[in-house]
Amino acid sequence: GAFLNDNSRQLIKERAFSIWLKADAETILKRVSARKSRPLLDGEEDKFDKIKRILSERENIYSQADITVITDRGTQKKIIDKIVEKIISLQKKV
């Protein structure tokens, strides 16, 4: 949630780099269903619809991340390898 705050996002841009672990609504629903406490998903609205709405509202902000990694498919190891690969690539540009 910190990345949603303009000041926090600016600090991150100045002092670090950001990674958007991007997933579609179906994947996110599967991942969060195992947890009991998800305050953003509480309420009457269908959880899947709420996730889609939140993703739609936040996409422009999340897309400002320095690195985006699609996390819908693949093992955790493959996703981590992709993150490391993108970090190395980013560092070479700096």
Side-chain angles (χ1 to χ4, degrees):
F3 203 69
L4 298 174
N5 178 283
D6 292 335
N7 293 329
S8 296
R9 195 167 52 256
Q10 185 59 40
L11 276 173
I12 292 167
K13 288 279 186 194
E14 291 170 7
R15 299 181 182 184
F17 61 89
S18 52
I19 303 171
W20 178 15
L21 301 176
K22 186 175 182 179
D24 62 28
E26 289 177 13
T27 301
I28 293 171
L29 181 61
K30 287 177 192 173
R31 291 176 181 164
V32 301
S33 292
R35 298 184 183 131
K36 297 288 183 206
S37 177
R38 299 303 299 191
L40 281 178
L41 298 179
D42 289 345
E44 298 298 317
E45 187 177 358
D46 177 76
K47 287 183 174 146
F48 182 70
D49 290 338
K50 195 164 195 175
I51 290 169
K52 287 193 307 188
R53 182 177 53 76
I54 290 169
L55 287 175
S56 176
E57 292 170 356
R58 296 180 179 187
E59 187 167 12
N60 286 338
I61 294 171
Y62 290 161
S63 68
Q64 295 175 39
D66 298 303
I67 296 171
T68 300
V69 177
I70 307 297
T71 64
D72 294 325
R73 296 187 197 112
T75 64
Q76 286 182 354
K77 182 183 180 336
K78 286 185 181 182
I79 293 168
I80 291 167
D81 289 346
K82 189 67 170 177
I83 293 167
V84 170
E85 174 186 313
K86 288 195 173 208
I87 290 170
I88 291 168
S89 176
L90 182 66
Q91 289 178 332
K92 287 180 182 178
K93 293 178 184 177
V94 178

